[in-house]
Amino acid sequence: MERFTRARAGAHGAAAASPGPFVHDIHWAGEWRSAIGVAFLLFTALFAVDAGFGSLDLTRGALWTGLAVLLFVILRPPRVSIRPGLLSAGGLLMTDTVRTDFLVSVRWYDGVAQRMVLRDTHGSRVEIDPAVLVRNPAMWHLLDMDTRASIQRGTLLSGVTALQQLAQHIDRETAQTVFKVSGLE
């Protein structure tokens, strides 16, 4: 992923190539293990039931394996990381990267599966779950600094309200956590 980021940074200018702290989603590994566990549990249950009824054969075993792999692919969380000027979301086959200091729009889609879509001046697009930013204050801090730079440059044309909503949501979550830890809840 570092090689890909350097290649994209070179394509978009020297500002993206500046070194800085690289912050990853601290909960990604646990979510990844959960996706493997759920897929394995489905595989085991289907395999055991089929074997119990005596109808397990090579074709059905391959079908159950394929179904478990498909479930893992669906549940696998993207690997989100950020450093000054860049936000990356790594999917199964590709990694999408956006210049966070040159954002054009930020859209927050609220609902069952919340999504935040960020677009930059170079036409790049990244879609992430806003909960990643809520759970990772260091990631939010870097993104917030870069979005402020986009606002100052005048490139962020749409999405300031979405960012303010996300900031309020993060502030509420942080306050609740502080109250819970201190016993004031």
Side-chain angles (χ1 to χ4, degrees):
M1 186 164 99
E2 186 69 23
R3 179 177 48 84
F4 179 79
T5 303
R6 272 189 257 131
R8 296 279 296 186
H12 294 314
S18 64
F22 223 99
V23 182
H24 297 281
D25 180 9
I26 57 175
H27 298 282
W28 179 82
E31 291 178 357
W32 194 79
R33 283 190 300 270
S34 294
I36 288 176
V38 168
F40 182 73
L41 186 65
L42 175 71
F43 170 76
T44 304
L46 292 172
F47 205 85
V49 167
D50 221 10
F53 284 120
S55 58
L56 182 64
D57 60 6
L58 186 59
T59 306
R60 291 175 72 91
L63 177 67
W64 302 148
T65 303
L67 196 59
V69 169
L70 178 64
L71 181 63
F72 170 72
V73 168
I74 291 169
L75 294 178
R76 182 192 173 278
R79 175 94 176 171
V80 179
S81 60
I82 188 169
R83 75 174 192 195
L86 292 173
L87 183 135
S88 300
L92 190 61
L93 300 175
M94 292 180 45
T95 298
D96 295 322
T97 302
V98 69
R99 289 287 309 268
T100 53
D101 53 351
F102 285 96
L103 289 175
V104 173
S105 71
V106 177
R107 301 227 190 278
W108 185 3
Y109 298 101
D110 203 10
V112 175
Q114 293 185 0
R115 288 281 163 237
M116 181 171 276
V117 179
L118 298 99
R119 295 182 189 268
D120 67 11
T121 57
H122 305 290
S124 299
R125 175 185 182 275
V126 170
E127 184 174 326
I128 63 169
D129 182 357
V132 170
L133 299 172
V134 172
R135 293 186 313 237
N136 297 283
M139 291 180 78
W140 167 245
H141 177 69
L142 287 174
L143 180 63
D144 186 44
M145 287 181 4
D146 285 343
T147 55
R148 290 174 195 267
S150 293
I151 292 169
Q152 288 175 348
R153 283 189 179 101
T155 60
L156 187 59
L157 305 174
S158 172
V160 176
T161 305
L163 289 169
Q164 289 172 345
Q165 289 173 342
L166 181 60
Q168 291 172 353
H169 181 70
I170 290 172
D171 289 344
R172 272 194 308 274
E173 290 290 325
T174 303
Q176 287 176 350
T177 302
V178 168
F179 288 145
K180 187 180 293 183
V181 168
S182 64
L184 298 173
E185 188 177 47

